[in-house]
């Protein structure tokens, strides 16, 4: 089975994936951005993953995106891909899973994980390792709405099933509760 997991930057996908590793045996978990960054480093001397959106011309960005999809598509067995339904580039929404990409990845499931914008802003504030744009709660919610449309459009191409995990109204009762619940949800997909 192949599952594509999308959530806004700063949602905590990396943390979720660490929990998934403890729950699901023999699944390969790959980060689309890592694959792109490897290629971008070699070709453009990009120094961190957040520079890719800003420093690479869009036609080159498309090629790197395709190369990353090609490499991920060749991984056999159960695979989870940590990626984005859309990426904010130059103030607009660029598709993370256009036909060219999603038809290579061939996911069975596209899982959207959504949060209260306040939670995402708080998580971004606590992560000093990244160079993310400053956004308002409204910007974040608009992006989450856009991502639903992008996910449905992608699923229509690849004949995937869309799952939505909406944590907007779920306040955490302990640290990392959202990440654990999301990991449980993903682990369950592999049991069905
Ligand atoms: P992340 O670590 O998940 O925030 O990803 C880092 C960067 O990788 C993103 O900001 C994008 O520039 C790029 N990226 C990740 N997934 C995709 C995708 N499906 N299409 C295009 N760019 C992507
Ligand atoms: Mg991440």
């Amino acid at each position: 089975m192949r599952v594509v997991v999308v959530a806004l930057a700063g949602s905590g996908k990396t943390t979720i994936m660490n929990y998934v590793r403890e729950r699901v045996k023999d699944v390969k978990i790959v980060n689309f951005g890592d694959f792109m960054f490897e290629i971008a480093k070699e070709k453009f001397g990009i120094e961190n993953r957040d520079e890719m959106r800003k420093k690479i011309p869009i036609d080159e960005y498309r090629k790197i995106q395709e190369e990353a999809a090609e490499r991920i598509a060749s991984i056999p067995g159960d695979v989870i891909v940590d990626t984005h339904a859309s990426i904010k580039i130059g103030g607009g929404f660029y598709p993370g899973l256009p036909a060219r990409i999603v038809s290579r990845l061939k996911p069975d499931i596209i899982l959207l994980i959504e949060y209260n914008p306040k939670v995402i802003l708080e998580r971004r504030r606590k992560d000093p390792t990244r160079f993310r744009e400053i956004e308002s709660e409204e910007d974040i919610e608009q992006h989450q709405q856009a991502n639903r449309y992008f996910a449905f459009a992608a699923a229509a191409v690849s004949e995937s099933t869309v799952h939505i995990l909406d944590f907007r109204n779920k306040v955490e009762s302990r640290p990392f509760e959202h990440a654990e619940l999301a990991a449980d949800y993903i682990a369950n997909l592999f049991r069905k």
Side-chain angles (χ1 to χ4, degrees), residues 136-149:
S136 67
E137 287 176 30
E138 290 74 20
D139 292 334
I140 288 184
E141 189 49 31
Q142 185 189 56
H143 196 173
Q144 293 197 115
Q145 293 302 327
N147 278 350
R148 280 202 180 186
Y149 300 125

Side-chain angles (χ1 to χ4, degrees), residues 87-158:
I87 299 98
K88 247 186 186 171
I89 299 183
F93 300 109
Y94 175 84
L97 302 168
R100 191 171 47 83
I101 301 302
V102 80
S103 61
R104 286 186 163 83
L105 297 181
K106 292 191 181 69
D108 300 283
I109 292 171
I110 299 175
L111 170 64
L112 275 158
I113 312 179
E114 303 172 333
Y115 296 91
N116 187 310
K118 284 190 175 60
V119 168
I120 293 180
L121 283 177
E122 190 53 34
R123 288 181 188 156
R124 285 186 187 174
R125 252 197 298 281
K126 286 183 191 155
D127 182 359
T129 67
R130 300 294 299 262
F131 304 90
R132 291 176 175 134
E133 289 74 6
I134 307 293
E135 290 189 290
S136 67
E137 287 176 30
E138 290 74 20
D139 292 334
I140 288 184
E141 189 49 31
Q142 185 189 56
H143 196 173
Q144 293 197 115
Q145 293 302 327
N147 278 350
R148 280 202 180 186
Y149 300 125
F150 277 113
F152 294 139
V157 170
S158 51

Side-chain angles (χ1 to χ4, degrees), residues 34-51:
D34 281 346
F35 279 73
M36 285 186 66
F37 183 42
E38 276 309 305
I39 302 161
K41 261 195 302 203
E42 285 166 30
K43 286 195 181 162
F44 294 93
I46 293 290
E47 284 169 13
N48 73 68
R49 43 206 296 119
D50 292 305
E51 266 183 7

Side-chain angles (χ1 to χ4, degrees), residues 9-10 12-15 31 49 82 84 130 132:
K13 276 193 291 358
T14 307
T15 309
N31 181 299
R49 43 206 296 119
D82 166 349
H84 295 279
R130 300 294 299 262
R132 291 176 175 134

Side-chain angles (χ1 to χ4, degrees), residues 18-34:
N18 290 336
Y19 284 119
V20 172
R21 264 183 211 101
E22 296 170 358
R23 287 161 170 77
V24 192
K25 300 274 161 280
D26 301 323
V27 65
K28 283 153 213 116
I29 301 176
V30 298
N31 181 299
F32 200 102
D34 281 346

